[in-house]
Amino acid sequence: MLKNHVEQEKPQEEELLRRLEDARNHLFALQMQIKERALPVLVLMEGWGAAGKGSTIGKIIRNIDPRFFKVATMSAPTEEELRKPFLYRYFARLPEAGKFTFLDSGWMEEITGDVLRGKLDEKGYASRIDSVKRFERQLTDNGYLVMKFFFNIEEKEQKKRLDGLLSNEDTRWRVSESDRWQSKHYDKCLKVFDQYLNDTNASTAPWYIVDAHSRKWAQLQVLETLCQGIEVALQNKSLAVPLLQNTFPLEKMPRLDEIPLDKTMEEAQYQEELDKLQKRLGELHNRLYRKRVPLIIAYEGWDAAGKGGNIKRITGALDPRGFEVHPIASPEPHEKARHYLWRFWTRLPKTGHIAIFDRTWYGRVMVERIEGFCSTNDWQRAYNEINEFEKELVDWGAVVIKFWVHIDKETQLERFNERQNTPEKQWKITDEDWRNREKWDAYEAAVNEMIQKTSTTYAPWHILESVDKKYARIKALKIVIKELEKVLGE
């Protein structure tokens, strides 16, 4: 793209200044539409060192109400961030609906930098490219405007700017080791940058090459392109997004009504197995930490199926410093204003730690679907998005275990009545539980579809028959231990 890019003809100074003023006013007017239409805007500024990305961001944000934007300079990942998935720190910085986020460099710089330093081989690069393409497509599919700019300058111009900065002791600090290395290896960097830009150029999130030889001209190119992008995105807000075919390998799963629920366990056997299995899980937790393997356990199931007691028997075996349980309720306003997976990305464990989710990202294709909290297009699209999300986790090195805690309708009614009639258990039963029960058939159909479409070979569903809670607890412990032994080579 860089080698074949045809530069626009720079306007004369008078026309440039006039267009700059028009573009600033246009952006100022558009920000209210962005707020009213709840459009989130993510602007990625990439390019050569000393090409003027930071100064251009500074000029652009002067035309935006400071309550509606954030700027993040994405330097090298911290030690903490390196213990999370590659995309974690970018997901964490997504703007709320109706606001801007400007990234001064981002995932392009991180990936190309790793390639140039020899940290990413061809296979690793291809995997990162797939991650980025899925990430950007998921954002645009979920209503984000993603604008990607690459600030381009020639080798001589970069050297001239760096020499100028280095000659002044007040600006010398602005030249990084990376900038120096780039300047010395310009052609090598050009080849890697060009490859990346070609590999990640998509119609939904295209690259815009900015001629950055003149700072005012660069600012005008960004402003006019940004305004055009916003106008198109506002027009697209009401349009449905095409559904993608599944490309992930799936495991054949039974329907819920095909699963026998007559499994039981005697108390004595339960206690004996519980002690043995918890001891073994505790040993594996120590090795998990030592080998820096993250574990994610996702619990879904019917109300009153026994998720809480099941989770308690898992955590009873674990070092409390190495796990966290996330009870997932209705999204808070700041969560609802972002991509629906944002609140799960930001709760992921670091390597060697365990995250247990009591309710999960599958709410998108169950409660949000049944209760009409999202559009039909949203939940139909979510099966593929969830498979992509879990693939990112597994590719990162995580063990992902998903449980559906299963009971029949009669058992649920018995447990509801018991809760209703037992004072110390009444807090467990709500009007919403009774309302959900009335929609049992609709939920069962949704769960069957969910399990069929998201039981991938790398993150399959495990059904816990929980009419006898003791049986379900022991089965869950055995599955967790088996999966950990597999990944730890036990």
Side-chain angles (χ1 to χ4, degrees):
M1 287 183 73
L2 295 176
K3 296 173 183 176
N4 301 321
H5 180 63
V6 178
E7 302 287 3
Q8 300 178 52
E9 185 177 349
K10 179 185 171 185
Q12 295 296 318
E13 185 71 10
E14 185 177 341
E15 183 189 354
L16 190 153
L17 293 175
R18 179 187 60 76
R19 284 170 59 183
L20 258 179
E21 184 64 22
D22 289 345
R24 288 168 182 155
N25 292 333
H26 193 185
L27 181 60
F28 181 79
L30 284 172
Q31 70 177 343
M32 291 313 297
Q33 293 185 52
I34 288 169
K35 179 176 180 293
E36 291 167 4
R37 300 283 301 281
L39 174 69
V41 183
L42 180 63
V43 183
L44 177 63
M45 300 288 207
E46 299 277 12
W48 295 97
K53 302 186 299 293
S55 61
T56 301
I57 292 173
K59 293 286 196 305
I60 289 172
I61 61 177
R62 292 179 187 175
N63 308 291
I64 304 173
D65 188 320
R67 295 170 296 179
F68 299 122
F69 72 82
K70 288 184 180 178
V71 177
T73 301
M74 302 303 291
S75 53
T78 64
E79 282 298 315
E80 185 78 7
E81 288 171 337
L82 286 171
R83 294 183 65 181
K84 297 288 183 74
F86 160 65
L87 289 172
Y88 160 78
R89 67 195 193 119
Y90 304 113
F91 241 105
R93 288 170 172 82
L94 290 182
E96 293 184 29
K99 296 185 179 182
F100 292 82
T101 290
F102 292 86
L103 296 185
D104 184 358
S105 298
W107 47 95
M108 174 183 175
E109 182 176 273
E110 185 173 347
I111 293 172
T112 55
D114 284 349
V115 170
L116 290 164
R117 289 188 293 270
K119 291 185 177 181
L120 266 185
D121 59 15
E122 192 172 327
K123 183 179 178 182
Y125 171 78
S127 177
R128 287 283 170 90
I129 292 298
D130 285 344
S131 293
V132 164
K133 287 161 76 172
R134 288 194 294 255
F135 172 52
E136 294 177 357
R137 197 214 71 249
Q138 274 201 22
L139 293 182
T140 57
D141 281 358
N142 282 273
Y144 283 73
L145 171 60
V146 179
M147 300 291 290
K148 303 183 303 188
F149 297 96
F150 186 91
F151 283 61
N152 193 33
I153 50 176
E154 293 174 353
E155 184 176 6
K156 288 181 181 179
E157 178 66 19
Q158 186 188 42
K159 187 176 186 309
K160 174 184 169 184
R161 292 187 185 186
L162 292 176
D163 287 344
L165 292 169
L166 289 168
S167 66
N168 187 327
E169 61 182 18
D170 291 331
T171 58
R172 195 173 299 153
W173 63 271
R174 290 169 56 187
V175 180
S176 67
E177 284 303 315
S178 174
D179 294 335
R180 294 171 188 259
W181 195 92
Q182 255 189 28
S183 183
K184 289 179 181 177
H185 303 87
Y186 186 94
D187 288 340
K188 184 177 182 180
C189 293
L190 177 62
K191 183 179 178 181
V192 172
F193 292 168
D194 209 42
Q195 180 70 50
Y196 179 90
L197 292 170
N198 277 296
D199 288 341
T200 59
N201 192 42
S203 59
T204 52
W207 279 103
Y208 297 98
I209 310 302
V210 177
D211 174 2
H213 285 78
S214 160
R215 298 191 188 278
K216 286 181 181 177
W217 174 220
Q219 185 190 158
L220 177 60
Q221 292 169 76
V222 173
L223 274 169
E224 289 187 339
T225 305
L226 185 57
C227 289
Q228 290 169 7
I230 292 168
E231 288 182 328
V232 172
L234 289 170
Q235 291 171 4
N236 287 339
K237 278 289 275 183
S238 60
L239 301 179
V241 177
L243 302 181
L244 299 179
Q245 294 292 326
N246 173 63
T247 59
F248 299 99
L250 298 172
E251 287 199 352
K252 180 67 177 172
M253 295 292 291
R255 292 172 53 83
L256 294 182
D257 58 11
E258 297 171 344
I259 298 168
L261 291 173
D262 56 353
K263 307 286 178 59
T264 61
M265 180 171 286
E266 295 297 327
E267 181 67 26
Q269 182 189 359
Y270 168 68
Q271 288 299 338
E272 181 183 345
E273 292 215 41
L274 182 65
D275 292 343
K276 180 181 69 175
L277 293 171
Q278 285 186 325
K279 181 179 179 182
R280 178 59 176 156
L281 182 54
E283 294 169 354
L284 291 171
H285 189 195
N286 290 330
R287 286 168 204 166
L288 191 82
Y289 182 79
R290 179 167 55 83
K291 293 192 175 184
R292 295 291 180 94
V293 176
L295 170 62
I296 297 159
I297 305 177
Y299 275 90
E300 290 287 357
W302 297 108
D303 293 330
K307 293 185 297 298
N310 207 290
I311 291 170
K312 187 175 180 181
R313 271 62 184 187
I314 298 283
T315 59
L318 305 175
D319 185 326
R321 297 168 295 181
F323 76 88
E324 187 170 0
V325 177
H326 300 285
I328 301 299
S330 299
E332 299 291 333
H334 72 283
E335 295 172 329
K336 196 178 292 186
R338 290 181 169 89
H339 191 296
Y340 71 98
L341 290 174
W342 179 85
R343 62 183 181 143
F344 303 106
W345 271 98
T346 53
R347 287 174 166 88
L348 293 177
K350 57 187 176 184
T351 52
H353 286 242
I354 300 172
I356 300 175
F357 290 90
D358 182 1
R359 302 272 184 215
T360 70
W361 40 97
Y362 284 96
R364 187 69 155 190
V365 294
M366 288 193 295
V367 64
E368 292 185 37
R369 167 185 175 174
I370 302 299
E371 304 298 336
F373 296 151
C374 66
S375 71
T376 300
N377 188 260
D378 286 337
W379 65 258
Q380 288 179 339
R381 222 175 46 243
Y383 297 119
N384 191 66
E385 293 169 346
I386 287 169
N387 288 341
E388 290 177 333
F389 171 51
E390 291 171 358
K391 186 68 164 60
E392 287 292 329
L393 301 181
V394 172
D395 287 350
W396 166 47
V399 179
V400 179
I401 301 173
K402 303 183 308 197
F403 291 126
W404 175 263
V405 189
H406 189 42
I407 56 175
D408 54 37
K409 203 171 182 180
E410 292 72 26
T411 301
Q412 186 188 65
L413 181 58
E414 290 174 12
R415 292 180 183 176
F416 275 17
N417 285 330
E418 182 191 4
R419 290 178 176 184
Q420 195 81 59
N421 298 325
T422 307
E424 59 269 26
K425 291 185 178 181
Q426 285 176 355
W427 64 273
K428 289 186 173 184
I429 188 80
T430 67
D431 291 341
E432 186 178 345
D433 294 329
W434 290 105
R435 283 196 300 272
N436 289 343
R437 179 174 166 76
E438 292 175 5
K439 299 178 181 179
W440 179 284
D441 292 344
Y443 272 99
E444 185 171 351
V447 173
N448 277 324
E449 185 173 4
M450 171 190 84
I451 289 174
Q452 298 299 330
K453 291 185 174 179
T454 61
S455 194
T456 55
T457 53
Y458 53 85
W461 280 99
H462 300 277
I463 310 298
L464 301 180
E465 302 91 331
S466 194
V467 168
D468 184 340
K469 295 179 183 179
K470 297 188 294 294
Y471 176 86
R473 294 165 185 170
I474 295 301
K475 182 174 180 179
L477 280 164
K478 286 180 177 178
I479 290 169
V480 173
I481 288 168
K482 179 184 175 183
E483 293 302 315
L484 292 185
E485 286 177 341
K486 193 189 303 180
V487 75
L488 295 172
E490 294 290 326

